[in-house]
Every structure is written in C-alpha cells, then in structure tokens.
Amino acid sequence: QNLSAGMAVAGVLVLARSVRMTTKFTRASDIPVAFVEKNVKLRGKLHHITEKGMEVEHIPISIPFITLIQRKWQSKGLLLVRLAGVELAPGGMAWLQRELKPKQMIWFQLLGRENSALECLVLVNKGRFLSVCLNEEILRQGLGRTARIEGLHHDSRLYWKLHKRLLRAELKALKKNKGIWREESYSERIRDRISNNKFVQTLKQFTSWLRGS
C-alpha cells in the first residue's frame, strides 16, 4: 500500500510538472515565480516590435494528450519581452524590425519581471548550430548602451557575468566607431564648422536675397 501510494504521489507530481511546462503563458503574471528565479528559457513566435518591447506568442512544450486537453481552455494573448541590460538607441528598434521576420521563432531566457514586461536574454537561430543573442548584437552594432539588468540581484554572480558580456559587446562597437559611437571624420568636422560660421550664413542669406530680387 505504501508503495502504491508513493507511486501515485510521484505520478501526480510528474503530471503537475508536465501541465506547467505545457501551459501557454499569455501574460507575464501567469509565469510561475520559480520559472523566473531559475531563469527558465522559453520559446515563442515574434509578432510585433514596438517601443515598449517585443510582443511574443509563447509556444510551450507539446505533449500529445495533455496539450490536446489544454488547448480547449487556454486563452489568447502576447507576452511583452524586453532586451535585458540594453537601452536602445533611436536606430535600435528599426534595426530589429529589419533583422527579424514576422512569426520568427525566438528563445527568451527569463531574468526578471517588471509589471507586465519580461526582462530577458533573447536568442535567435542563425543556422543549424549557431544562435545570436540580440542583447549583445544590438550593442555590437552600436545601436544601444548597456543598462542595469532589471530583475537580477545587483550582487549576484549571474548579474555580473551577463553585465560583463554586454560591456564587451559595447566595447567592440566603441573600438570600431559603429552606430552611436561613430566619430565624425576630419572633412565632416570642417564642413560643419564652415556651415555654422556666421559669415558664411550671412553670405548665404545675401545670396538668397539677390536671387529673390
């Protein structure tokens, strides 16, 4: 009897875990706290890229019998996913919209949750064995700056491990003068100085007046 009871309890625990892993999350608040604390990686389908973040449809693990039952009562909705540790520059969102395709599959690793948004590391497959972390790629392109990783404890090992990765990516853009770190060339600086010179501006106004006369 004890053995049967133990097996029954184990079966219930396995079933409960399977239900949680196959549940489709449609709101950030639906995701269990344990998932966020353990930095679980989830899969999703990209729908929109907005100023607030990426709107992603969660695609859970599929288990034939359980998934079939759950589909009948699962609600619809999109998760708001943000690139953790990155402050996007003006051209950052446009770059994401060019690089990512609608309905593209992505992976997002949970780092924190703030109100209705999820702070994540976002990974995109670029081949059979290659994936790119968008958080780092944005910084490598010079289209953002490193920022505090919301949701992670500031003194945790994981926080500083990820923060160092992001800083290294930002440093590469700085060294290559890419994006927001691009410095004006000598000729561009001379042209700007000439165009901003008061005498040149007065001469342009006088020329325009002559043409109008």
Side-chain angles (χ1 to χ4, degrees), residues 9 15 24 27-28 38-39 62 70 78 83 87 98 107 115 119 125 130 134 165 167 177 184 186 209 211 213:
V9 171
L15 180 60
K24 182 175 182 178
R27 295 178 301 178
K38 294 179 180 179
N39 309 124
S62 179
Q70 287 180 319
L78 301 175
L83 299 176
E87 180 186 344
R98 290 195 306 269
W107 290 89
N115 299 325
E119 300 289 336
N125 290 330
L130 179 64
L134 290 181
R165 280 174 53 184
L167 285 175
N177 293 326
E184 289 184 325
Y186 178 74
W209 178 79
R211 288 178 179 174
S213 300

mmCIF file of all heavy atoms in Angstrom, residues 9 15 24 27-28 38-39 62 70 78 83 87 98 107 115 119 125 130 134 165 167 177 184 186 209 211 213:
data_model
loop_
_atom_site.group_PDB
_atom_site.id
_atom_site.type_symbol
_atom_site.label_atom_id
_atom_site.label_comp_id
_atom_site.label_asym_id
_atom_site.label_seq_id
_atom_site.Cartn_x
_atom_site.Cartn_y
_atom_site.Cartn_z
ATOM 1 N N VAL A 9 1.624 9.396 -5.719
ATOM 2 C CA VAL A 9 2.083 10.756 -5.452
ATOM 3 C C VAL A 9 3.092 11.198 -6.511
ATOM 4 O O VAL A 9 3.044 12.325 -7.020
ATOM 5 C CB VAL A 9 2.713 10.858 -4.042
ATOM 6 C CG1 VAL A 9 3.395 12.212 -3.849
ATOM 7 C CG2 VAL A 9 1.654 10.650 -2.975
ATOM 8 N N LEU A 15 2.702 14.681 -13.402
ATOM 9 C CA LEU A 15 1.621 15.262 -14.189
ATOM 10 C C LEU A 15 1.541 16.775 -13.968
ATOM 11 O O LEU A 15 1.383 17.546 -14.925
ATOM 12 C CB LEU A 15 0.291 14.616 -13.803
ATOM 13 C CG LEU A 15 -0.953 15.130 -14.550
ATOM 14 C CD1 LEU A 15 -0.814 14.890 -16.048
ATOM 15 C CD2 LEU A 15 -2.209 14.475 -14.004
ATOM 16 N N LYS A 24 0.454 27.378 -21.899
ATOM 17 C CA LYS A 24 0.764 28.533 -22.741
ATOM 18 C C LYS A 24 0.539 29.798 -21.926
ATOM 19 O O LYS A 24 -0.575 30.106 -21.507
ATOM 20 C CB LYS A 24 -0.130 28.540 -23.986
ATOM 21 C CG LYS A 24 0.173 29.686 -24.938
ATOM 22 C CD LYS A 24 -0.645 29.574 -26.201
ATOM 23 C CE LYS A 24 -0.302 30.684 -27.174
ATOM 24 N NZ LYS A 24 -1.051 30.569 -28.451
ATOM 25 N N ARG A 27 0.232 36.094 -20.295
ATOM 26 C CA ARG A 27 0.526 37.298 -19.526
ATOM 27 C C ARG A 27 1.766 37.043 -18.680
ATOM 28 O O ARG A 27 1.998 35.916 -18.240
ATOM 29 C CB ARG A 27 -0.644 37.677 -18.617
ATOM 30 C CG ARG A 27 -1.915 38.087 -19.357
ATOM 31 C CD ARG A 27 -3.025 38.394 -18.375
ATOM 32 N NE ARG A 27 -3.319 37.243 -17.530
ATOM 33 C CZ ARG A 27 -4.222 37.237 -16.550
ATOM 34 N NH1 ARG A 27 -4.900 38.345 -16.287
ATOM 35 N NH2 ARG A 27 -4.429 36.153 -15.838
ATOM 36 N N ALA A 28 2.535 38.091 -18.440
ATOM 37 C CA ALA A 28 3.757 37.941 -17.642
ATOM 38 C C ALA A 28 3.426 37.430 -16.243
ATOM 39 O O ALA A 28 4.177 36.635 -15.670
ATOM 40 C CB ALA A 28 4.486 39.278 -17.561
ATOM 41 N N LYS A 38 14.621 30.663 -11.594
ATOM 42 C CA LYS A 38 15.545 29.679 -12.165
ATOM 43 C C LYS A 38 15.997 30.050 -13.572
ATOM 44 O O LYS A 38 16.701 29.284 -14.228
ATOM 45 C CB LYS A 38 14.884 28.298 -12.181
ATOM 46 C CG LYS A 38 14.620 27.732 -10.794
ATOM 47 C CD LYS A 38 13.948 26.380 -10.866
ATOM 48 C CE LYS A 38 13.679 25.819 -9.470
ATOM 49 N NZ LYS A 38 13.003 24.498 -9.517
ATOM 50 N N ASN A 39 15.562 31.241 -14.039
ATOM 51 C CA ASN A 39 15.966 31.735 -15.367
ATOM 52 C C ASN A 39 15.670 30.729 -16.470
ATOM 53 O O ASN A 39 16.519 30.414 -17.306
ATOM 54 C CB ASN A 39 17.458 32.088 -15.378
ATOM 55 C CG ASN A 39 17.850 33.003 -14.236
ATOM 56 O OD1 ASN A 39 18.741 32.681 -13.452
ATOM 57 N ND2 ASN A 39 17.190 34.138 -14.099
ATOM 58 N N SER A 62 5.086 20.578 -26.276
ATOM 59 C CA SER A 62 3.884 19.846 -26.677
ATOM 60 C C SER A 62 3.959 18.385 -26.221
ATOM 61 O O SER A 62 4.900 17.667 -26.564
ATOM 62 C CB SER A 62 3.712 19.909 -28.205
ATOM 63 O OG SER A 62 2.574 19.187 -28.609
ATOM 64 N N GLN A 70 -5.433 20.935 -22.889
ATOM 65 C CA GLN A 70 -5.200 22.330 -22.518
ATOM 66 C C GLN A 70 -5.649 23.315 -23.579
ATOM 67 O O GLN A 70 -6.066 24.431 -23.267
ATOM 68 C CB GLN A 70 -3.711 22.546 -22.221
ATOM 69 C CG GLN A 70 -3.256 21.925 -20.911
ATOM 70 C CD GLN A 70 -1.785 22.160 -20.659
ATOM 71 O OE1 GLN A 70 -0.974 22.076 -21.570
ATOM 72 N NE2 GLN A 70 -1.436 22.454 -19.429
ATOM 73 N N LEU A 78 -0.372 37.917 -25.884
ATOM 74 C CA LEU A 78 1.043 38.018 -26.227
ATOM 75 C C LEU A 78 1.839 38.509 -25.024
ATOM 76 O O LEU A 78 1.360 39.336 -24.248
ATOM 77 C CB LEU A 78 1.249 38.980 -27.407
ATOM 78 C CG LEU A 78 0.533 38.621 -28.714
ATOM 79 C CD1 LEU A 78 0.740 39.723 -29.743
ATOM 80 C CD2 LEU A 78 1.024 37.282 -29.259
ATOM 81 N N LEU A 83 14.692 43.472 -24.038
ATOM 82 C CA LEU A 83 16.098 43.075 -24.024
ATOM 83 C C LEU A 83 16.723 43.545 -22.716
ATOM 84 O O LEU A 83 16.948 44.733 -22.525
ATOM 85 C CB LEU A 83 16.840 43.684 -25.217
ATOM 86 C CG LEU A 83 16.348 43.273 -26.610
ATOM 87 C CD1 LEU A 83 17.117 44.020 -27.689
ATOM 88 C CD2 LEU A 83 16.504 41.765 -26.815
ATOM 89 N N GLU A 87 19.754 49.585 -23.287
ATOM 90 C CA GLU A 87 18.972 50.789 -23.553
ATOM 91 C C GLU A 87 19.093 51.095 -25.041
ATOM 92 O O GLU A 87 20.160 51.471 -25.522
ATOM 93 C CB GLU A 87 19.508 51.964 -22.729
ATOM 94 C CG GLU A 87 18.748 53.262 -22.961
ATOM 95 C CD GLU A 87 19.382 54.438 -22.236
ATOM 96 O OE1 GLU A 87 20.214 54.206 -21.331
ATOM 97 O OE2 GLU A 87 19.057 55.590 -22.591
ATOM 98 N N ARG A 98 14.189 45.275 -39.134
ATOM 99 C CA ARG A 98 14.790 44.801 -40.391
ATOM 100 C C ARG A 98 15.343 43.385 -40.262
ATOM 101 O O ARG A 98 15.226 42.577 -41.176
ATOM 102 C CB ARG A 98 15.918 45.740 -40.828
ATOM 103 C CG ARG A 98 15.491 47.098 -41.305
ATOM 104 C CD ARG A 98 16.616 47.800 -42.046
ATOM 105 N NE ARG A 98 17.833 47.872 -41.253
ATOM 106 C CZ ARG A 98 18.139 48.870 -40.442
ATOM 107 N NH1 ARG A 98 17.294 49.892 -40.301
ATOM 108 N NH2 ARG A 98 19.272 48.878 -39.756
ATOM 109 N N TRP A 107 13.999 32.341 -28.782
ATOM 110 C CA TRP A 107 14.075 31.832 -27.419
ATOM 111 C C TRP A 107 14.317 33.007 -26.493
ATOM 112 O O TRP A 107 15.104 33.905 -26.823
ATOM 113 C CB TRP A 107 15.207 30.816 -27.277
ATOM 114 C CG TRP A 107 14.946 29.523 -27.979
ATOM 115 C CD1 TRP A 107 15.246 29.216 -29.278
ATOM 116 C CD2 TRP A 107 14.329 28.354 -27.433
ATOM 117 N NE1 TRP A 107 14.845 27.936 -29.577
ATOM 118 C CE2 TRP A 107 14.282 27.379 -28.467
ATOM 119 C CE3 TRP A 107 13.814 28.042 -26.176
ATOM 120 C CZ2 TRP A 107 13.741 26.115 -28.260
ATOM 121 C CZ3 TRP A 107 13.276 26.773 -25.971
ATOM 122 C CH2 TRP A 107 13.247 25.828 -27.011
ATOM 123 N N ASN A 115 6.259 44.595 -13.756
ATOM 124 C CA ASN A 115 4.870 44.871 -14.131
ATOM 125 C C ASN A 115 4.415 43.885 -15.199
ATOM 126 O O ASN A 115 4.377 42.691 -14.954
ATOM 127 C CB ASN A 115 4.727 46.318 -14.601
ATOM 128 C CG ASN A 115 5.098 47.312 -13.504
ATOM 129 O OD1 ASN A 115 4.847 47.056 -12.337
ATOM 130 N ND2 ASN A 115 5.701 48.422 -13.871
ATOM 131 N N GLU A 119 11.961 40.803 -18.566
ATOM 132 C CA GLU A 119 13.336 41.159 -18.893
ATOM 133 C C GLU A 119 14.061 39.876 -19.254
ATOM 134 O O GLU A 119 14.157 38.964 -18.427
ATOM 135 C CB GLU A 119 14.012 41.841 -17.700
ATOM 136 C CG GLU A 119 13.329 43.114 -17.237
ATOM 137 C CD GLU A 119 13.512 44.265 -18.214
ATOM 138 O OE1 GLU A 119 14.490 44.241 -18.980
ATOM 139 O OE2 GLU A 119 12.683 45.189 -18.195
ATOM 140 N N ASN A 125 18.041 31.826 -33.778
ATOM 141 C CA ASN A 125 18.845 30.859 -34.532
ATOM 142 C C ASN A 125 19.290 31.454 -35.861
ATOM 143 O O ASN A 125 18.506 32.034 -36.597
ATOM 144 C CB ASN A 125 18.047 29.574 -34.783
ATOM 145 C CG ASN A 125 17.823 28.776 -33.511
ATOM 146 O OD1 ASN A 125 18.644 28.818 -32.602
ATOM 147 N ND2 ASN A 125 16.726 28.043 -33.450
ATOM 148 N N LEU A 130 24.108 27.556 -34.834
ATOM 149 C CA LEU A 130 24.513 28.904 -34.451
ATOM 150 C C LEU A 130 23.302 29.714 -33.990
ATOM 151 O O LEU A 130 22.264 29.715 -34.634
ATOM 152 C CB LEU A 130 25.177 29.618 -35.640
ATOM 153 C CG LEU A 130 25.629 31.065 -35.400
ATOM 154 C CD1 LEU A 130 26.727 31.101 -34.345
ATOM 155 C CD2 LEU A 130 26.115 31.696 -36.700
ATOM 156 N N LEU A 134 20.483 38.683 -29.136
ATOM 157 C CA LEU A 134 20.129 40.017 -29.621
ATOM 158 C C LEU A 134 20.593 41.113 -28.669
ATOM 159 O O LEU A 134 20.922 42.212 -29.113
ATOM 160 C CB LEU A 134 18.626 40.114 -29.843
ATOM 161 C CG LEU A 134 18.046 39.317 -31.012
ATOM 162 C CD1 LEU A 134 16.546 39.541 -31.109
ATOM 163 C CD2 LEU A 134 18.713 39.687 -32.322
ATOM 164 N N ARG A 165 29.476 40.477 -20.254
ATOM 165 C CA ARG A 165 29.241 40.114 -21.666
ATOM 166 C C ARG A 165 28.706 41.311 -22.447
ATOM 167 O O ARG A 165 29.156 41.578 -23.575
ATOM 168 C CB ARG A 165 28.246 38.955 -21.745
ATOM 169 C CG ARG A 165 28.830 37.580 -21.490
ATOM 170 C CD ARG A 165 27.763 36.519 -21.438
ATOM 171 N NE ARG A 165 26.895 36.537 -22.615
ATOM 172 C CZ ARG A 165 25.835 35.739 -22.760
ATOM 173 N NH1 ARG A 165 25.525 34.875 -21.793
ATOM 174 N NH2 ARG A 165 25.092 35.802 -23.837
ATOM 175 N N LEU A 167 29.011 44.514 -21.673
ATOM 176 C CA LEU A 167 30.038 45.562 -21.752
ATOM 177 C C LEU A 167 31.073 45.253 -22.830
ATOM 178 O O LEU A 167 31.528 46.152 -23.543
ATOM 179 C CB LEU A 167 30.721 45.723 -20.394
ATOM 180 C CG LEU A 167 29.936 46.453 -19.309
ATOM 181 C CD1 LEU A 167 30.685 46.415 -17.994
ATOM 182 C CD2 LEU A 167 29.658 47.902 -19.721
ATOM 183 N N ASN A 177 33.976 52.381 -33.888
ATOM 184 C CA ASN A 177 33.224 53.609 -34.194
ATOM 185 C C ASN A 177 31.905 53.315 -34.915
ATOM 186 O O ASN A 177 31.573 53.945 -35.921
ATOM 187 C CB ASN A 177 34.071 54.565 -35.052
ATOM 188 C CG ASN A 177 35.267 55.098 -34.292
ATOM 189 O OD1 ASN A 177 35.194 55.308 -33.082
ATOM 190 N ND2 ASN A 177 36.366 55.312 -34.990
ATOM 191 N N GLU A 184 32.825 61.786 -36.139
ATOM 192 C CA GLU A 184 32.861 62.491 -37.419
ATOM 193 C C GLU A 184 34.286 62.507 -37.979
ATOM 194 O O GLU A 184 35.253 62.674 -37.229
ATOM 195 C CB GLU A 184 32.374 63.926 -37.249
ATOM 196 C CG GLU A 184 30.895 64.062 -36.991
ATOM 197 C CD GLU A 184 30.461 65.510 -36.932
ATOM 198 O OE1 GLU A 184 31.254 66.340 -36.438
ATOM 199 O OE2 GLU A 184 29.354 65.804 -37.380
ATOM 200 N N TYR A 186 37.459 64.095 -40.270
ATOM 201 C CA TYR A 186 38.034 65.438 -40.302
ATOM 202 C C TYR A 186 37.285 66.322 -41.296
ATOM 203 O O TYR A 186 36.950 67.472 -41.001
ATOM 204 C CB TYR A 186 39.509 65.349 -40.684
ATOM 205 C CG TYR A 186 40.196 66.698 -40.788
ATOM 206 C CD1 TYR A 186 40.521 67.420 -39.649
ATOM 207 C CD2 TYR A 186 40.480 67.250 -42.041
ATOM 208 C CE1 TYR A 186 41.133 68.662 -39.744
ATOM 209 C CE2 TYR A 186 41.084 68.492 -42.150
ATOM 210 C CZ TYR A 186 41.418 69.192 -40.994
ATOM 211 O OH TYR A 186 42.018 70.423 -41.093
ATOM 212 N N TRP A 209 18.738 86.624 -50.973
ATOM 213 C CA TRP A 209 18.038 87.899 -51.182
ATOM 214 C C TRP A 209 18.236 88.392 -52.589
ATOM 215 O O TRP A 209 17.291 88.884 -53.226
ATOM 216 C CB TRP A 209 18.578 88.907 -50.178
ATOM 217 C CG TRP A 209 17.939 90.276 -50.360
ATOM 218 C CD1 TRP A 209 16.727 90.676 -49.941
ATOM 219 C CD2 TRP A 209 18.543 91.396 -51.016
ATOM 220 N NE1 TRP A 209 16.486 91.983 -50.288
ATOM 221 C CE2 TRP A 209 17.591 92.452 -50.945
ATOM 222 C CE3 TRP A 209 19.778 91.623 -51.642
ATOM 223 C CZ2 TRP A 209 17.851 93.713 -51.514
ATOM 224 C CZ3 TRP A 209 20.024 92.866 -52.182
ATOM 225 C CH2 TRP A 209 19.092 93.901 -52.112
ATOM 226 N N ARG A 211 18.822 86.537 -55.259
ATOM 227 C CA ARG A 211 18.036 85.703 -56.179
ATOM 228 C C ARG A 211 16.558 86.078 -56.113
ATOM 229 O O ARG A 211 15.857 86.067 -57.125
ATOM 230 C CB ARG A 211 18.219 84.222 -55.786
ATOM 231 C CG ARG A 211 19.614 83.668 -56.125
ATOM 232 C CD ARG A 211 19.752 82.236 -55.668
ATOM 233 N NE ARG A 211 21.051 81.697 -56.014
ATOM 234 C CZ ARG A 211 21.463 80.485 -55.612
ATOM 235 N NH1 ARG A 211 20.677 79.724 -54.864
ATOM 236 N NH2 ARG A 211 22.669 80.064 -55.981
ATOM 237 N N SER A 213 15.402 89.017 -55.454
ATOM 238 C CA SER A 213 15.199 90.322 -56.099
ATOM 239 C C SER A 213 15.203 90.182 -57.617
ATOM 240 O O SER A 213 14.646 91.006 -58.318
ATOM 241 C CB SER A 213 16.315 91.271 -55.659
ATOM 242 O OG SER A 213 16.297 91.436 -54.237
#
